[in-house]
Amino acid sequence: MNAPIDTSTYVITPPGIPTLPVEGSDKLFPIHRIYCVGRNYAEHAIEMGHDPNKEPPFFFQKNPDNVITDGTFPYPDKSSDVHYELEMLVAIGKGGVNIPVESALDHVWGYGVGLDMTRRDLQGEAKKLGRPWEVGKAFEASAPCSALVPASAIGHPAAGKVWLNVNGTQRQVGDLNQMIWKVPEMISYLSGLFELRPGDVIMSGTPAGVGAIVRGDVMEGGVDGVGTLTVKVV
Ligand code: MN
């Protein structure tokens, strides 16, 4: 969803501001950047062939306008192995650099549920060749997301089931308390690498059970205490 902007001051018509809806509100959350944490649940690190011991977290980005909120996911071109990764979204309301772990949650505006959709075949090829991941991770509509809920309403969830069903069969299940890097730690670490700004969204990593979808599948997932998300592959 893009918010309208004043077009009269630009030489071409600029794209609108990517946004996320807010549960129970007509107002929108404007997206500045999307950061994604890799391998943040031990069992998922193992299923992807990595040692889950606590190494420093690593991040990649999606494009803000990769977000889609209409309940569909158009199956992308150039891949025959597109995977779901259900994740909790952390929406930043207050920016900063070198944010201490102790005060990191003060920077969170709210939470949501998102899918880090991945062209796994293209990502695998990029990994093998030492190339960037964008073709696997940052393609059109690669981030189907729910509405956000403010932390003022739900607090800061540190435990709760993270799950995904495909066509009614459970595929992913984990718990927020299994995150290797907790939300305050990822905010602190990320803010040492980048200046966090209001509007940044962090996809906090996925539990084990990732797998492929095909057109016609319905993905339904959620984070207990945060919300749910239902997305049809079209
Ligand atoms: Mn992910």
Side-chain angles (χ1 to χ4, degrees):
M1 195 188 310
N2 279 359
I5 57 174
D6 177 9
T7 59
S8 62
T9 52
Y10 300 96
V11 293
I12 57 168
T13 303
I17 299 168
T19 62
L20 283 165
V22 173
E23 196 69 51
S25 170
D26 292 338
K27 292 197 173 178
L28 302 169
F29 182 90
I31 306 170
H32 175 243
R33 291 180 187 165
I34 302 174
Y35 297 102
C36 305
V37 188
R39 291 173 213 140
N40 200 29
Y41 289 76
E43 284 177 32
H44 174 61
I46 292 166
E47 78 178 346
M48 297 304 288
H50 298 277
D51 184 338
N53 290 321
K54 194 164 179 167
E55 292 169 348
F58 74 93
F59 300 90
F60 58 90
Q61 286 176 258
K62 286 180 184 278
N63 300 296
D65 63 354
N66 294 155
V67 165
I68 183 168
T69 56
D70 70 355
T72 66
F73 170 69
Y75 198 95
D77 289 338
K78 302 287 189 286
S79 178
S80 56
D81 192 26
V82 178
H83 281 204
Y84 49 78
E85 297 188 1
L86 193 286
E87 317 202 355
M88 183 171 75
L89 305 175
V90 182
I92 299 295
K94 190 175 105 183
V97 293
N98 297 318
I99 297 166
V101 171
E102 299 70 35
S103 57
L105 290 179
D106 299 343
H107 294 257
V108 177
W109 184 86
Y111 296 90
V113 180
L115 281 160
D116 168 14
M117 298 304 295
T118 302
R119 289 193 284 211
R120 193 71 77 201
D121 40 6
L122 298 189
Q123 185 202 21
E125 203 173 304
K127 281 183 186 174
K128 200 162 58 193
L129 297 169
R131 289 178 181 167
W133 284 11
E134 280 88 347
V135 294
K137 288 289 195 180
F139 55 93
E140 269 51 66
S142 60
C145 291
S146 74
L148 296 177
V149 286
S152 59
I154 62 163
H156 296 281
K161 192 172 151 190
V162 182
W163 58 277
L164 179 83
N165 295 347
V166 179
N167 305 328
T169 302
Q170 184 175 281
R171 297 291 184 83
Q172 288 195 277
V173 67
D175 194 292
L176 293 175
N177 67 16
Q178 297 165 344
M179 282 185 180
I180 299 170
W181 293 91
K182 311 300 182 194
V183 172
E185 294 173 314
M186 67 180 74
I187 290 170
S188 179
Y189 197 93
L190 192 57
S191 72
L193 293 167
F194 301 97
E195 179 182 354
L196 284 187
R197 300 273 302 273
D200 287 341
V201 174
I202 303 171
M203 299 188 89
S204 57
T206 198
V210 301
I213 40 80
V214 296
R215 284 189 184 86
D217 283 347
V218 175
M219 302 178 282
E220 184 185 11
V223 178
D224 285 2
V226 176
T228 60
L229 172 66
T230 302
V231 176
K232 185 175 168 88
V233 183
V234 296

